[in-house]
Amino acid sequence: MTITIMIIPEAVTMTDPSVLLIHGSAHGAWCWRDLLAELHARGLKARALDLPSHGADRTPYDEIGLDSYRDAILADMRRAAQDHPVLGLIEKTEDGRAFRFKPEAGVEALCHDCSEEVKTYVRDHIGPQAIRPQETPLRVTPASTARPRHYVICENDRVIPPAEQRKMCADWPASTVHSLSSGHSPYFAQPARLADTLAHILHRSG
């Protein structure tokens, strides 16, 4: 029997991984009963699923293929991802091709540490975002990763948690990672400090 354990970083907290247990041949989620109890006792987020035609899933076994397993696993991951903090702040447009931030909750999350004037300004100007560009795979080449780059972590961000930001630049040189005690919009909340940070980066690179 082959046992696969997938550790999936979820957006519920972004700081702790979530363990998705996938059973092997002729088994089901039931085989993880004791391990799940031990993981939960240790404060870990863990769950198990029945693959199609296994356990409580009644799909006839002559109707499934490897793609059925794949689709079931991806569907479970998508359901888990629906707990991402930002998903409660956005809504799809009527045509389903873009999303937009909800006027109040979205702006408050984006600009919680900004003045009321800034919040009003953002509310009056923020628009929809097309979904397709964000779903298009990006081709990363050695040349692109070799270009100079810096990352500014916003330590009080309520849209992209700081722990997730650190994952994005985990393999970057420490000298290229900076931080501000700011929310998601330091260009409004702390424009002077952000300008100082950018000036420092440019002068050092020049």
Side-chain angles (χ1 to χ4, degrees):
M1 171 180 170
T2 300
I3 297 175
T4 303
I5 301 177
M6 298 181 67
I7 302 178
I8 304 167
E10 286 179 353
V12 178
T13 65
M14 290 300 190
T15 57
D16 301 316
S18 176
V19 181
L20 172 59
L21 300 170
I22 303 170
H23 62 81
S25 301
H27 285 60
W30 52 265
C31 72
W32 303 111
R33 181 195 65 182
D34 298 341
L35 179 59
L36 281 172
E38 293 292 343
L39 292 172
H40 293 160
R42 288 161 174 75
L44 294 171
K45 294 179 297 180
R47 65 187 188 278
L49 81 159
D50 287 315
L51 292 173
S53 85
H54 295 272
D57 187 286
R58 297 309 179 195
T59 306
Y61 62 79
D62 59 348
E63 295 181 4
I64 66 167
L66 186 59
D67 57 340
S68 306
Y69 291 168
R70 176 204 63 202
D71 293 344
I73 293 168
L74 292 176
D76 182 276
M77 293 168 63
R78 281 192 291 269
R79 284 193 295 271
Q82 290 174 2
D83 290 326
H84 193 296
V86 77
L87 292 183
L89 306 175
I90 62 175
E91 57 191 5
K92 281 190 175 181
T93 55
E94 291 75 9
D95 59 10
R97 297 178 181 176
F99 70 83
R100 57 186 165 227
F101 281 93
K102 296 178 180 178
E104 296 306 323
V107 171
E108 183 60 31
L110 291 166
C111 307
H112 70 91
D113 55 346
C114 300
S115 68
E116 289 302 319
E117 182 275 329
V118 164
K119 292 178 184 178
T120 299
Y121 181 76
V122 171
R123 194 177 295 113
D124 290 344
H125 288 81
I126 197 167
Q129 167 63 51
I131 292 174
R132 190 168 66 177
Q134 298 199 341
E135 292 182 339
T136 303
L138 178 66
R139 180 170 173 266
V140 179
T141 66
S144 63
T145 56
R147 300 292 300 171
R149 54 184 180 170
H150 291 256
Y151 196 106
V152 179
I153 295 173
C154 297
E155 298 289 355
N156 298 316
D157 199 327
R158 295 183 180 179
V159 178
I160 304 177
E164 185 68 9
Q165 297 178 50
R166 289 188 171 86
K167 292 178 187 177
M168 297 178 187
C169 56
D171 59 346
W172 296 25
S175 61
T176 66
V177 179
H178 317 268
S179 66
L180 290 175
S181 57
S182 161
H184 189 76
S185 306
Y187 36 86
F188 282 131
Q190 299 182 18
R193 291 192 62 189
L194 179 58
D196 287 342
T197 300
L198 296 178
H200 172 73
I201 292 171
L202 292 171
H203 291 155
R204 192 178 64 185
S205 302

